[in-house]
Each structure stands twice: as C-alpha cells, then as structure tokens.
Amino acid sequence: MLGYSLRRLGFLLLTVLLTSVIIFSVTQWLPGDVCRIILGREAGEKALDACRQDLGLEAPLPVQYLRWLADFSGGDWGQSFSTRTDIFPLVMQRLLNSLRLAVLTLLISVPLAVGLGVLAGLNEGKLVDNLISIGSLSVVGLPEFVTGILLIQLFSFELRRWGLPSLPANSSIRPEAGFVESLPSLILPAITATLVLLAYIARLTRSGVLEEMKQSYVRTADLKGLPRHIVVVRHILPNALLPTITVIAISFGWLISGLVVIENVFNYPGLGRLLVFAIDRRDLPLMQAVALVTVVGFALANLVADLVYALLNPRIRYTEGN
Amino acid sequence: MINEKTAPALNIKDLCVAYQQEGEWWEAVHEVSLQIQPGEIYGLVGESGSGKTTLALAVLRYLGKNGMIRQGKIELSGVDLVQLQPAEMRKLWGHQMALIPQNPQSSLNPAMRVGDQIAEVYRHTQDMETGEARHKAVEMLREVNIPDPGRVTLSYPHQLSGGMQQRVLIAMALSSNPSLLILDEPTTNLDVTTQATILDLLRSLIEQRQTAALYITHNLAVVAQMCRRAGVLYAGRLVEEAFINELFARPLHPYTQGLLESMPRLGDHKDSVRLRAIEGRAPVFGDIPSGCVFRPRCPIANEICETNPPLSVLPEGRKVRCHRWEVSLNEAGRSHLPDGRSDRNTTEKHQLQPLLSLEGVSVHYPLKRSLREVVRREPKRAVRAVEGMDLKILSGQTLGLVGESGSGKSTLARATLGVVDKTAGTIELLGIQLPDKLSRRTLDTLRKVQSVFQNPEEALNPYLTVGEILQRPMMTLLGWSRQEAIGRVPDLLRAVRLPAMYAERLPTQLSGGEKQRVAIARASAAKPNLLICDEPVSALDVSVQASILNLLEDLQAEHGNSLLFISHDMAVVGFLADTIAVIYLGELVEIAETGDLFKSPYHPYTEALLSAIPGTKVESRRVAAPLVGEIPSPIEKPGGCPFHSRCPRLVGEICKRQPPPWQSQQGSSKRYLCHIPWEELQAQQGDIQGFEISRG
Amino acid sequence: MATHTGAAPSRGRRFVSQLRRLYAVPTAAFGTTVFVLFLALALLGPWIAPYGANQQDYQGARMAPSSLHWFGTDHLGRDVFSRVLLGAGEILWLSGGGTLLAVLCGTAIGLLSGYLGGWLDELIMRLFDSLLALPALLLALLMLGILGASAWSVLIVMVVVYTPIVARVVRSVVLSVKTRGFVEAARLQGESLGWILFREILPSVLPTLAVETAVRFSYGIFLVASLGFLGVGVQPPSPNWGLMVKEARQTISQTPWALYYPAGAISILVIGVNLMADGLKRIFQTRHD
C-alpha cells in the first residue's frame, strides 16, 4: 500500500511537471512581445531591452522554463501585467472562493446523485428508473449558462417581484467575507453546478449498481438466505460505489476551475473568472499561475481518489509488489 | 443406506421453464421429472445450451426477470417450491437448499473478507453473535480441509487459489446444513489435480451429512465417479436416466451413446480407434426440431422419430425417451481400426527428420520491481514461464504437450510461433535457426508454422466472411491472386467438412465447432509443415470435440504435416500424439512415446495427473501421499526438483537441494526427471487402473 | 447464437439495420429525430431564413414575437428566428467538423499507439494524460488566449481537446482486440500493418467509436456555445447561440425572447444528441452481451 501510494505520488509529480512544460511552452507562442505588451506601444527600444533583461527573456527557453519553475515552486509567482499586483495572494484568494463553491456543490450533489443513482439501479426498468434516467439525460443537455440565467430569473427577480425573500443575482462577494456571510451568494451557483454534476454522477452510479447486480457473488449472497437489504448494503453497494469515488474526485477538479461559465453568469470571483480575465488582458504570468494551480488541484484530487479507491479495494490494498 | 422407499428429498415433476429472448418466450427445459433421495448424488449431464443450469436455477427459484416456470412441480421435502412467494423462498435459501457454483472467483464478494462472508450467514439467518459466528466460520473452513483456517478467514478472495475459493464456497453452502445441495459444474474451471481433491471432499461431506445433491456437469467421467444415478439432458429434455453402472455399460439413447463414444478414453490411440462424433449441431432457441429433438443428429432415426417419443420406463429404474432404443442398443459400439492402418508407423522413427528442435529454450517475463525492491537493491525478478526446454518434433509426427494451467505450455507454443520473445536457447526449423521476432521471419517461415487457437469465439474476425478469412493466407503466404485464392476456398471448406456455401457466412452465424473448423482450414490453407494447436478442443462441447480431433488426424494423414498438440487432457493427448511431453512449472519432467508413457514407472507428477483423471487410478504398490497444494508461483520457483513442494513420493532433502537427473532404460523411449531410479520407482507404482473403462 | 441460414447481408445493409434499431428505443428515436431535424434546418437555413443574420431593422428593434418576426427581434432589431436558424448551421459545422477531425486524429493515434505499444505508446499516453490533467474548458481557454478568438481557433481547440480523449478510448479497445486469436492469426499470416489495423482491428472499434463520436459531438456543441457565451470563441456579429444568449442577457427584461429561443435551441439539440448517443450505447452494448 505504501509502495502504491508512493508510485501514485510519483505519477502525480510527473504529470504536473509535464503539464507545466505544456503550459510554459504554449504561453511562449503568445503572439507579440511580452515587454511591448507590458510597456505599451510608445516604449522605446532601450526600455524594451531593459525590460527583456529584467524578465530574463534573453536566456534560452529551457533555462527560462527552469527559472520559472523554480520561482514558482518557491512561491514567487511574479506580478500580474494588468493589475500590477502580486499574483500569489490574488490567486490564493480566488482559489479559496473556488474551493468554497466546490465544497458546497459536492455536499449537495454527491448524496443526492448517489441516492438517485442507487434508487434507479435497484429498480431497473421500473417507473422510478425511467424518470431518473430521462430526467438526468435532459438536465445534462442544459448548458450551465442557460440553467444559471433561468435560476437567477426565478429565484432572484421573480421572487423579488412578488416581494418574497430572494437570493442575490450577483454573487460577487467581499474578499474578506467568511463562509457564512457568503453563503447566500453561493447557493445559486452551487445549484447550477449541482445540476451539471447530478446527472453525470447519478448515471455512473446507476450503471455501477447494475453492473454489480449481475455478478455471481450477488447470487451467492442471495442464496445464502441473507435478507435483501443486507445483500444490497453489504454486498452490492460497496462494490458498486467504488468507481463513483473516482468520478467525484474528477468532479472536484472540474469544480475548482471548470466553473468558468457559472462564475461568469453569477459574477462569482473564482479561479475560472480570473482566467477569463487574464486571457482577456493577455496577462501571461496570471494565465500560467491559474493554469498551474488548476493542474495541481486536479492532480491532487485524482491522487486522493486513487488512494481512497485503493484503501477501499482490497484487490489493490493486498497485492504485494503491484 | 439410500432407501428408495422413503419420500424423495427433491421431487421434480413435469417441469417446464421458459426464457424470454428479444420479446419471445422459448422453452429451455421441457417436461423434466426426476427424484433425488436424501444422501444421493444425482448427476445431470448435458452440453452447453441443454438447459441444465436453467433447471438448477429453476429449482432454486432464481431465474431472474426473463425466466419463468411454465408448469410443473418442484417439491422439496414435500413443499412445492413453485407455489412459494419470493420472501418465502429467501427463508429456504441457505437453510434448506444451497448452490455450489461454477466460477469460485466471481462467486465470492471481492471486497469482503472470506471469514465475514461465511460468518454473515450465521449472523443474519441464525441471529448468532458476531464472535460466535466468526468461531463457526473457522470451524466450517476446517471441515473443508483448509489448512490454517484462522488465517484464511482474514483473507480476501483474490488472495486464495481457485481450489481454496471453491472450498470456501463449499463451506458456505454447507454452513446451515441444507437438505438439498445443487452443484453446478463445481470443478470445471479447476486443474485436474485440484479437481480430484475437491471431488473427494464433496463426496465425503455429502455422504456424512446425508444431503440430497443434484450434480450438474458436462463431464461424464466426473458423473461416473461421483453419482449413484444420472440423467442425460438434451435440448431441455431428459432423454435418459439410469443407475451409473447401467448407464455406462449399456447406454440406451443414441445421444448418450454418442457422448460416451465421442471422447477418447485414456489409452485410446488414433492408430487403433476411430472416434465416433455426433454430427450436426445442438439445437438453439427457436430452432427446436419437431418430434424427437435428437432426430437431425441421430444415426438411426427414421419416420417414426418425427413424432414425439414417449418416456419408456424400463426395469431397474431405467428410463429412456427414444422410439428406437432397442435398435440403438444393438448398433452401439465404437469402430476399432484394423492394426497397422496407418503407413506412418511403418517408417522407423529414427529415419524421420527432425522438423522443429528446441534447445534450452527459456521464456522469462521480467517483473517490474517494486520501490522497496529497488531501494533494497534486490535482484530483478521474473516469471519463469519456460525453463531450459529441449524438445524435437519429427516430420509428420505429433508431439503432445501436457500440463496444468501455469505449466508454461502455451508460452512455449507462442515462443515457437514468434509472438513471445524467448530469453535463451535456440529454435530450429528444418535445421535453420528461427529469429525471435515475428517481423524478422520470412514469409516462407511463417507459411511453415501455423496455429489453431484455443478459443474459437475469438479466432475469427467477426467482420469478415468465412470466404474472406480463408483467402487471406493464400494471398499473403503463397502470393496468389485474389481470384486464385477464391477458387480454392470451396476445397478448403470441403476438407474441414463444411459446405461450400459457408464461404458467404459471417463467423457469428457459425457454431463453436464450425468456427474451429474454419480456423483449422485457415491454418492449413498454405500447407504448413507444422501446425501448433493450443487446447483446440477445450472450449468445445464433448460431442463436437471428437469431430475436431478426427479432422486434425485426417488432415495430418493427408498432408503429412507435423502437429504440436497442447492439452491439459491426458486422454486427448494420448489419442492424438505419437510422443508425449509432460511439463510442470515450465520444465520438462517426462517424455516418452505414447505407448511407453502409460507404462510404469511414471514421474510422480505424471502419476498424479493420471490418478486425478476421474475413474482412473494408478495402482500403488507403495501407497503415495496425496498430492498437496497447488502449482507454486513461477516467480519463486522451488529449488532442486521443481515438483518437490507437492511430490507424493518425496525422497528427502535431496529433492529440495539437487536438481534431479534424467532416468531412462534400454528398451523404453521414456525419460523422466527424478531422483528415484527406474527400478525403484517401478517397484512403487503399478499399472493404470480403469484404463479401459467399460470398453466394448 | 444466430440461427440465420441465409447468406450474410452486405456490410452497408447491416449498418443501416443497426441504425434502424435506434428507432426501437423511444428516447433514442426522439433524439435522432431532433438531430436530423436540426441538421435539415441548418442545411436549408440560408434559403428559408426570412431575414439575414445581421439585417437590422431600427424601427423594429425589441419587438415581441409576431407573425412578421416569429421569435421577435433583438435590441439591434435583428430577426431572432433567422439568427437561430442560421446559427444552427454555424454551430453544427463547427462542432461537427471539430468532432470529426478529432475523431480522425484520435482514431489514427489510438490505433497505432495501442497496436504497436512500446515506448512510443508510453510517450503519447503520458503526453495525453498531462493534457487531460487540465479541465477541457480551461485548456480551451488557454489555447484561445494564444490563438486569438475566431471560428478557426475554436476548431483547432476542439481537435486538441478531444483528440486525446478519443485516442484513449480507441486505444483501450485496441488493447483488448489485439490479443484475440484473429489478430494473432493475421500476424502469423504475414499480413501488412495496414491490413491488420484497418481490416482486422478497426471494425471492432467502430461501435465504441460511434458512441464516443456522438458523446464528443454533444460536448462539442456545448463547448462552442459556452465559448461563445464567454465571449472568447466566435466573435460578434456571428449568430452563435451562446453569443446570442450573452448579448441578450444585457436586455433580458426588455427582450427575453432573444435569450430564450437560442437557449432553448441549444438545450434541445444537446438533449437530442445525448439521447441519440445513449441509444447507440444501448444498441452496441446489448450486441456484445
């Protein structure tokens, strides 16, 4: 198990490293001279040269990459071109916001989705199953920006129009706001994200349950004379829910930065919006920082999933060597 | 002991079971009646699709949504199960009836400790405390002869071998002492030596507990060894029922006769015996013939068989469903060939040229080292699948390769074919050394060595027609044009006894046996010098196996090609091979011409293999210990003799320390690898008993 | 087991009969119909659209749906119905073209890398793993940040984002097919690499590939619309549905129709394609049982 964990960790580092190379080289192709972007059109040749010297742009690319990576690992993420402020605190603030939204979304969606998926799987072909299946297929088809706008219309404008307590349409929150204070702003974005995840996780859970119910060991458990609920809880579910863990982890990674659209709809200050902002301004260091933070978050989520999966799966936990 | 007068434990009457397939209901079991007494093991014999598993699941009332009992009664101790509600059935499961299934690996929950899986029976159905239930679980494991049961209860299924898993399932099934035990091919996926120990265990447990048992299998030899009475199921109908001795001595139904005569028995050889194959294919759903279901394949059918045959009840508890059983009784018997049928045997062996010779061939699969091993600088480990193999195949001869799973026999074949790289040694074809990599072999070399694989389902590309499949080797290996190749296809089909119109068909439209014929036709299309057959019949039904074996033999007689024939089945190898090599853990332990192999002395492993065949025993002048354990991992191979960890005739420390020498004697072609010298081993062993069960 | 005794139907006809089975599942039949309908509208769009995509009618801005403007007009007086109709063509060719290119690249890479194995396979898969370590939308945004926003950039982005996914799916099927007897038999017969890849292996990949293509396509529509909505994909005044939603959002209280119709169109199309993909999945899964 220790060997397995270390191997997964090594694998994670390798992936992050490779991705960082991709991010670095991709951002090198950015058209235009970085210094010209920073200093503007009127900058003289001398100022430009000084700037290039300053940023180390004269060095060969591999050296630049290593320098960048070293700075980055050391917490020196440089300054944003557009805001002229340190990137590190900015990204961390946004990361925190993203994490809040991600955690709340998972808290709502996972129990709900797993519950629905199990319910549908255990009642295959019956009315409940068909309703859940068609419902989830339809919800999956709704783009986040459509559901988000609809939810705002419904829970913000319509409720307010009728003089009822409503939720804020704009979810921009004060940077120093605590979790409780920001909660009302989080609810609508979280529901929108839930709708996206719900169907996805529920469908995978359902097929996991169906897959396991076909296995011979379920027949063995039935024919031992165990009550049906014991068969479901002790035999089917532990095996059926294993793959769901991986899915939840991937979802978590997606929630950290894949929420670009939702954050935009609700004006929520998460990492995704920061990225769109950076792209809009061609803010190279900021783009790199957000991308790398996302990759690390994504990879960490996968690592945790792998480890939890291994911990719950004796076939991995108790296989020596492998 | 078993009293026919008492009420039967299980009484099935006129049972019809139907399955739904693509919206239509098909009858899988039709009007089956049988009784089983307490303490009796009743054998139900049938091939795939005969409905035997459906019958078992119907008795358990576990048919699933698309299965239905159409009519009939299933009385267990007088209670008709057909009338019970699902909830009532759940109370009977485990307590009154239990199942021992076919695939032990998938029948155990992979995520639960073995002990818990047994203990939960006590906890949830008998309201036992956790501690007490655990204690009972250990006790049950001890009862099924599991060594160190306390430790095994803490294991997960994947940590146990197939034999151990099956023992766990047996313990589980017997945990609440059911009055009916259903065994659905419980040893089919196990090795022969493991099968033998499991069968012994089952027999003694059932006898002890006076349980009624329904033993379902395709294997007649197992039925002969285990059961008191048996029924033969064909296309969902019980076509014959009798006491075992009667059934094997005087089979009445033409199908039963066919089954008994289609498989070679130990000691049969192609030079003296012609196998009698059952022609045609078993009916499938929606294609059940009217009248007698066996009519299209029956050698003695006539007009009367177009009507439904009645079930004739004969004296001595025999039943047969056939119009013409009296005729069939007289026609029974296999065709014996006159001596010296084959010209091949007139040539002296030493005049034959070696076609293929392997010298010191080893195949190791290197293992990735774990982090710990790298840190501790432990040596690289490898799966040593084949080790130092020396073998020769003579022109026009058949070399049989016997061994259990994991013995390395397939790896050896694959190394010869060039799909696996060997680690050491040389492989020569007609005196020319073969390169390892397939891509570096010339087309002519490829043409000379062709192969037939084990699984006919995967042997043919499902998206090409049979004709297209057969054209290719002629185009690539012989360089023929498409037109020339197409012209030869009918001949190839004829050679494997398939009609020419099959060229238009897709593989999905063929039965398993037909697929294997096409695979053989493809392999022989470019007239190879050597045909490598890796378990070519093990995935096929018994009645089909014979026709494939006959076919391989005929093709060889016609083309004079050599055959490397690999099988775990001693009787099948013995039938086809001129020389037999026995391998264990990747090493050759014994080799002899077929006639000599079945004469003592035998390598202790060969002896174990022979004794493990149901219905045979090697006479033991000095009683050997039973074979223990299972094949060790080829990663940590024992030193000294590879077989020492399981050997029933272990001499002592020498076996663990020193690699054994080859033993041989003038006048015999046999060589074996053992510390026990020829005379001494011969004095301990005798002839094989049951060598010719019920022949003639 | 099949019991047909006749000759094999031609390959083309077999494929058609597979597709016909789509109509046996009600949800899949619905989805396929929706897709075909949108495809037809997209093809006919330029001929049947009553107005041009950017034809402005200053007198008629912000008009509610009427017989003149079926879906009303937007804040600039453009006919929403015409824009939705013409937008169908735009979104289908972008997402369809991107999906097809990605499927072609992914299939080629997956086949080769899976069949040949070895260090090349290892390298390609590591590279793809790293690409997939970024959420698809994020990768798309990064690339658009570099390529600049345009329809062609969106196409390239789709190929880069989806090729690794398709390649991985194809490769996993190849890995299971290449150990089967018939592939080994082909190698022993000295068949060429091309024959083995395209005649022996590819047909077995096709069912999975069909499902994957449909799934990718539905995500593709999503991606094109989302990028439009974020304003980093196709640029105004293109009648991109996502872009239309973004623009109409500013004036939602006055011209809600300008938002609801394109939003509805995306939703129905994606749901339709999803149902179709689900149907394909069911057909090919039951085939393998």
Side-chain angles (χ1 to χ4, degrees):
Chain A
M1 184 69 197
L2 180 73
Y4 177 82
S5 313
L6 286 175
R7 209 170 14 258
R8 297 313 304 176
L9 190 69
F11 186 73
L12 171 141
L13 287 175
L14 189 71
T15 308
V16 170
L17 218 61
L18 259 170
T19 321
S20 74
V21 173
I22 294 177
I23 292 173
F24 181 78
S25 41
V26 156
T27 41
Q28 291 308 310
W29 292 331
L30 206 65
D33 187 336
V34 176
C35 281
R36 204 168 271 293
I37 297 175
I38 299 174
L39 299 176
R41 267 170 202 282
E42 293 80 34
E45 226 16 71
K46 230 184 195 152
L48 282 174
D49 272 347
C51 162
R52 286 187 195 122
Q53 203 79 57
D54 201 31
L55 292 178
L57 295 180
E58 308 286 293
L61 277 184
V63 175
Q64 283 192 45
Y65 166 73
L66 287 177
R67 211 177 277 155
W68 172 72
L69 195 68
D71 284 349
F72 209 90
S73 325
D76 174 13
W77 295 9
Q79 276 207 342
S80 154
F81 291 168
S82 47
T83 62
R84 306 277 167 184
T85 54
D86 275 349
I87 290 177
F88 187 77
L90 178 65
V91 171
M92 281 301 142
Q93 175 60 41
R94 296 300 188 96
L95 178 64
L96 186 68
N97 286 343
S98 282
L99 283 176
R100 280 180 185 163
L101 185 52
V103 168
L104 184 67
T105 307
L106 283 185
L107 283 180
I108 302 173
S109 58
V110 169
L112 201 61
V114 170
L116 286 175
V118 169
L119 195 65
L122 292 179
N123 295 292
E124 190 201 1
K126 294 187 191 154
L127 185 68
V128 203
D129 177 34
N130 286 333
L131 284 179
I132 294 174
S133 293
I134 293 178
S136 61
L137 271 174
S138 311
V139 169
V140 159
L142 296 175
E144 301 100 298
F145 57 85
V146 174
T147 39
I149 292 173
L150 288 180
L151 286 173
I152 291 176
Q153 286 295 309
L154 210 64
F155 290 100
S156 187
F157 295 128
E158 291 297 316
L159 287 182
R160 206 176 309 153
R161 204 150 64 121
W162 297 97
L164 295 169
S166 62
L167 290 164
N170 189 328
S171 302
S172 53
I173 48 176
R174 291 190 301 128
E176 60 276 13
F179 186 70
V180 180
E181 187 191 326
S182 53
L183 199 58
S185 307
L186 285 170
I187 288 178
L188 283 184
I191 289 177
T192 314
T194 296
L195 284 178
V196 180
L197 284 184
L198 190 67
Y200 182 53
I201 299 179
R203 283 168 60 77
L204 274 161
T205 308
R206 173 180 180 271
S207 62
V209 169
L210 287 183
E211 187 54 41
E212 292 305 319
M213 289 215 303
K214 273 191 263 168
Q215 302 299 317
S216 308
Y217 71 81
V218 176
R219 181 180 70 188
T220 309
D222 272 332
L223 291 181
K224 278 194 271 191
L226 300 179
R228 183 67 188 170
H229 67 269
I230 297 283
V231 177
V232 171
V233 174
R234 299 259 297 160
H235 290 270
I236 298 176
L237 291 189
N239 289 294
L241 296 184
L242 266 181
T244 312
I245 293 168
T246 315
V247 173
I248 292 171
I250 293 170
S251 309
F252 187 73
W254 174 79
L255 284 168
I256 291 175
S257 69
L259 286 180
V260 187
V261 174
I262 294 177
E263 289 174 5
N264 243 278
V265 170
F266 291 95
N267 232 353
Y268 183 80
L271 271 184
R273 256 192 76 218
L274 187 62
L275 183 69
V276 176
F277 170 82
I279 289 171
D280 225 33
R281 306 287 157 94
R282 304 229 147 182
D283 193 337
L284 190 68
L286 194 57
M287 269 164 74
Q288 287 173 337
V290 176
L292 213 56
V293 165
T294 307
V295 169
V296 172
F298 208 68
L300 276 176
N302 272 316
L303 177 71
V304 171
D306 279 345
L307 295 186
V308 173
Y309 186 91
L311 208 63
L312 296 179
N313 188 346
R315 271 164 293 186
I316 297 180
R317 185 166 23 130
Y318 289 100
T319 305
E320 286 156 47
N322 187 33
Chain B
M1 189 182 63
I2 293 166
N3 188 349
E4 305 291 339
K5 297 275 155 45
T6 54
L10 179 73
N11 183 8
I12 300 175
K13 240 177 127 2
D14 293 330
L15 185 69
C16 292
V17 185
Y19 263 113
Q20 196 176 27
Q21 222 178 38
E22 291 180 4
E24 278 190 81
W25 288 91
W26 306 105
E27 217 154 72
V29 171
H30 183 75
E31 291 182 357
V32 169
S33 300
L34 57 88
Q35 288 88 36
I36 306 177
Q37 304 295 327
E40 180 185 33
I41 307 181
Y42 182 98
L44 193 60
V45 186
E47 299 180 274
S48 59
S50 63
K52 53 190 197 301
T53 298
T54 305
L55 184 80
L57 294 179
V59 171
L60 289 161
R61 292 280 314 276
Y62 201 82
L63 283 169
K65 266 180 266 176
N66 56 348
M68 179 179 81
I69 295 175
R70 276 253 178 99
Q71 66 164 67
K73 277 187 190 164
I74 305 167
E75 287 180 349
L76 183 67
S77 319
V79 181
D80 186 3
L81 303 182
V82 179
Q83 306 301 328
L84 294 185
Q85 295 301 311
E88 295 171 300
M89 276 312 299
R90 202 168 277 274
K91 286 191 190 119
L92 292 187
W93 289 339
H95 292 278
Q96 296 286 315
M97 52 206 312
L99 173 77
I100 299 176
Q102 175 169 11
N103 298 311
Q105 166 95 54
S106 59
S107 295
L108 288 167
N109 185 342
M112 204 171 177
R113 288 177 200 275
V114 160
D116 292 341
Q117 295 194 47
I118 301 175
E120 69 175 351
V121 182
Y122 297 108
R123 284 185 46 211
H124 295 290
T125 67
Q126 300 177 14
D127 291 326
M128 218 178 259
E129 293 298 316
T130 313
E132 199 189 348
R134 288 232 172 99
H135 183 70
K136 288 281 281 186
V138 175
E139 228 166 72
M140 273 317 299
L141 287 181
R142 189 167 292 129
E143 213 167 317
V144 294
N145 298 338
I146 285 185
D148 199 358
R151 193 183 54 80
V152 170
T153 50
L154 297 178
S155 318
Y156 285 93
H158 76 273
Q159 297 170 300
L160 303 177
S161 68
M164 290 287 256
Q165 290 169 345
Q166 194 57 287
R167 282 170 200 269
V168 169
L169 279 159
I170 293 170
M172 208 180 276
L174 294 176
S175 58
S176 24
N177 221 348
S179 45
L180 173 68
L181 198 58
I182 295 177
L183 305 102
D184 187 2
E185 305 257 17
T187 60
T188 302
N189 293 337
L190 303 176
D191 272 322
V192 221
T193 52
T194 316
Q195 164 170 299
T197 55
I198 295 281
L199 289 181
D200 283 345
L201 173 73
L202 280 171
R203 234 174 107 108
S204 70
L205 285 172
I206 291 169
E207 214 159 83
Q208 252 171 50
R209 295 169 175 245
Q210 283 295 294
T211 316
L214 177 61
Y215 196 106
I216 291 169
T217 181
H218 70 282
N219 189 332
L220 286 163
V222 169
V223 168
Q225 190 193 342
M226 294 290 289
C227 306
R228 197 174 79 111
R229 286 188 308 141
V232 178
L233 206 60
Y234 182 80
R237 276 92 173 149
L238 199 64
V239 294
E240 181 163 8
E241 182 184 272
F243 282 93
I244 284 300
N245 296 340
E246 284 286 298
L247 190 72
F248 281 78
R250 276 184 338 129
L252 295 184
H253 198 281
Y255 175 62
T256 318
Q257 292 168 0
L259 279 184
L260 281 170
E261 281 156 26
S262 58
M263 277 323 287
R265 288 165 208 153
L266 196 61
D268 283 350
H269 193 260
K270 60 185 175 186
D271 289 343
S272 54
V273 177
R274 177 82 181 167
L275 298 177
R276 212 183 89 176
I278 306 178
E279 296 305 326
R281 52 154 102 167
V284 291
F285 277 175
D287 193 22
I288 306 276
S290 64
C292 173
V293 283
F294 190 59
R295 180 168 50 93
R297 302 176 75 188
C298 182
I300 57 163
N302 63 11
E303 318 80 60
I304 193 177
C305 301
E306 284 163 31
T307 58
N308 258 331
L311 188 72
S312 315
V313 181
L314 311 175
E316 295 167 353
R318 297 203 68 157
K319 290 174 191 162
V320 61
R321 196 184 283 276
C322 176
H323 289 292
R324 294 169 56 77
W325 63 269
E326 280 152 312
V327 184
S328 104
L329 188 59
N330 297 327
E331 305 240 322
R334 55 176 54 197
S335 40
H336 284 261
L337 300 168
D339 286 337
R341 177 188 80 98
S342 170
D343 318 337
R344 278 170 294 163
N345 278 17
T346 55
T347 335
E348 284 295 314
K349 290 261 158 75
H350 59 262
Q351 292 173 353
L352 292 171
Q353 213 197 104
L355 174 75
L356 182 85
S357 42
L358 309 180
E359 258 173 57
V361 170
S362 297
V363 181
H364 295 179
Y365 299 109
L367 285 178
K368 281 190 183 161
R369 286 193 295 179
S370 75
L371 201 69
R372 188 179 309 159
E373 286 164 339
V374 177
V375 170
R376 292 190 187 165
R377 294 174 183 244
E378 283 175 30
K380 280 193 178 167
R381 294 188 306 166
V383 176
R384 298 190 285 177
V386 176
E387 194 103 76
M389 192 73 74
D390 297 319
L391 280 176
K392 270 189 178 51
I393 302 178
L394 303 179
S395 283
Q397 293 274 305
T398 301
L399 174 69
L401 218 52
V402 195
E404 295 178 279
S405 57
S407 62
K409 52 193 196 304
S410 294
T411 306
L412 187 66
R414 292 168 63 76
T416 310
L417 285 169
V419 271
V420 161
D421 292 349
K422 59 180 163 34
T423 316
T426 55
I427 302 179
E428 281 181 9
L429 185 72
L430 289 168
I432 301 160
Q433 206 168 319
L434 287 183
D436 268 1
K437 294 251 186 281
L438 199 59
S439 52
R440 295 181 44 200
R441 296 190 178 180
T442 62
L443 277 182
D444 191 54
T445 308
L446 292 182
R447 182 194 67 75
K448 284 185 178 133
V449 187
Q450 284 290 312
S451 163
V452 175
F453 301 98
Q454 173 173 11
N455 187 350
E457 298 307 317
E458 295 192 345
L460 309 177
N461 187 339
Y463 295 89
L464 296 178
T465 64
V466 169
E468 290 170 312
I469 290 169
L470 293 181
Q471 292 157 27
R472 292 307 298 182
M474 293 181 278
M475 291 165 65
T476 52
L477 295 176
L478 300 176
W480 291 9
S481 73
R482 182 178 296 274
Q483 284 315 313
E484 287 172 304
I486 290 174
R488 265 284 284 167
V489 167
D491 295 341
L492 286 176
L493 284 170
R494 205 169 307 123
V496 295
R497 323 271 181 270
L498 288 175
M501 60 175 227
Y502 268 50
E504 301 294 314
R505 293 200 183 178
L506 287 168
T508 46
Q509 296 168 305
L510 308 183
S511 70
E514 288 168 341
K515 282 178 194 159
Q516 202 62 314
R517 283 161 193 264
V518 175
I520 292 171
R522 173 180 58 193
S524 47
K527 303 233 161 40
N529 300 40
L530 173 64
L531 197 58
I532 298 182
C533 299
D534 189 356
E535 300 263 13
V537 295
S538 66
L540 299 175
D541 271 325
V542 185
S543 67
V544 184
Q545 290 186 8
S547 59
I548 298 291
L549 294 177
N550 282 340
L551 179 64
L552 285 171
E553 186 203 338
D554 293 347
L555 287 174
Q556 189 180 24
E558 201 185 318
H559 299 308
N561 61 296
S562 305
L563 211 57
L564 173 59
F565 188 90
I566 297 172
S567 177
H568 67 281
D569 187 329
M570 199 57 119
V572 168
V573 172
F575 174 75
L576 221 49
D578 300 303
T579 304
I580 297 180
V582 181
I583 60 176
Y584 181 79
L585 265 185
E587 291 184 45
L588 187 66
V589 295
E590 175 161 4
I591 184 163
E593 282 171 25
T594 304
D596 287 339
L597 189 90
F598 296 125
K599 292 186 198 129
S600 68
Y602 324 93
H603 184 281
Y605 177 60
T606 314
E607 181 189 4
L609 278 182
L610 289 167
S611 309
I613 301 171
T616 52
K617 268 273 158 320
V618 172
E619 205 177 293
S620 226
R621 302 212 180 101
R622 197 205 87 187
V623 181
L627 189 64
V628 289
E630 280 157 51
I631 297 192
S633 147
I635 303 169
E636 275 137 65
K637 271 170 72 167
C641 171
F643 190 52
H644 84 246
S645 62
R646 299 174 72 201
C647 185
R649 298 193 182 273
L650 198 70
V651 180
E653 279 301 305
I654 185 171
C655 296
K656 297 175 191 167
R657 297 256 160 78
Q658 265 183 44
W662 283 103
Q663 308 278 355
S664 61
Q665 203 180 48
Q666 274 277 305
S668 174
S669 59
K670 177 177 283 202
R671 287 188 298 145
Y672 65 89
L673 198 67
C674 186
H675 287 292
I676 311 176
W678 191 282
E679 279 82 14
E680 199 179 315
L681 192 57
Q682 201 165 28
Q684 294 178 10
Q685 300 165 330
D687 291 331
I688 305 166
Q689 292 174 341
F691 198 66
E692 297 192 7
I693 23 164
S694 67
R695 162 146 330 150
Chain C
M1 193 180 292
T3 55
H4 320 285
T5 43
S10 77
R11 262 175 222 100
R13 209 177 307 156
R14 266 188 293 142
F15 190 69
V16 171
S17 77
Q18 291 285 352
L19 282 186
R20 211 171 278 154
R21 289 178 59 188
L22 267 181
Y23 274 80
V25 188
T27 50
F30 172 78
T32 313
T33 312
V34 166
F35 170 63
V36 171
L37 204 73
F38 270 71
L39 200 64
L41 286 178
L43 289 174
L44 296 175
W47 285 275
I48 58 174
Y51 303 89
N54 300 310
Q55 193 181 333
Q56 292 181 349
D57 180 353
Y58 287 104
Q59 267 100 51
R62 302 182 186 190
M63 281 201 316
S66 65
S67 58
L68 206 59
H69 298 283
W70 290 2
F71 292 177
T73 59
D74 66 5
H75 61 290
L76 296 175
R78 295 175 295 190
D79 179 51
V80 176
F81 177 67
S82 300
R83 284 179 67 77
V84 169
L85 206 55
L86 294 165
E90 190 250 26
I91 203 157
L92 282 178
W93 96 254
L94 257 186
S95 50
T99 305
L100 282 182
L101 280 176
V103 165
L104 281 180
C105 296
T107 306
I109 297 174
L111 274 177
L112 265 174
S113 152
Y115 180 70
L116 294 179
W119 64 268
L120 186 75
D121 176 49
E122 191 77 11
L123 186 81
I124 292 175
M125 285 306 132
R126 282 290 155 275
L127 189 74
F128 283 179
D129 277 344
S130 321
L131 268 180
L132 294 175
L134 286 162
L137 191 60
L138 192 88
L139 183 59
L141 286 175
L142 273 179
M143 289 189 55
L144 285 172
I146 291 146
L147 295 170
S150 78
W152 290 107
S153 307
V154 174
L155 205 66
I156 294 171
V157 163
M158 281 189 65
V159 175
V160 173
V161 173
Y162 291 152
T163 296
I165 301 177
V166 176
R168 281 226 276 193
V169 170
V170 170
R171 178 176 174 271
S172 73
V173 183
V174 172
L175 288 186
S176 81
V177 175
K178 83 170 183 182
T179 58
R180 290 191 198 154
F182 65 86
V183 178
E184 211 147 89
R187 292 176 61 200
L188 292 173
Q189 280 164 22
E191 295 286 5
S192 65
L193 181 65
W195 173 278
I196 291 178
L197 287 184
F198 293 108
R199 295 305 303 273
E200 303 284 351
I201 296 180
L202 184 64
S204 303
V205 178
L206 284 179
T208 316
L209 197 60
V211 175
E212 188 57 27
T213 306
V215 172
R216 278 309 119 220
F217 182 49
S218 102
Y219 278 108
I221 298 169
F222 231 106
L223 184 68
V224 173
S226 297
L227 292 176
F229 176 79
L230 291 175
V232 293
V234 183
Q235 293 301 302
S238 164
N240 179 289
W241 292 342
L243 198 58
M244 286 165 76
V245 172
K246 174 190 161 80
E247 290 172 349
R249 211 188 155 197
Q250 316 303 324
T251 56
I252 189 169
S253 47
Q254 297 117 42
T255 58
W257 48 85
L259 189 146
Y260 291 138
Y261 283 109
I266 306 167
S267 307
I268 293 170
L269 179 58
V270 176
I271 290 171
V273 175
N274 273 341
L275 290 174
M276 189 171 75
D278 191 59
L280 284 173
K281 213 179 280 177
R282 282 193 207 189
I283 288 177
F284 292 128
Q285 266 166 10
T286 49
R287 234 181 63 106
H288 286 295
D289 289 346

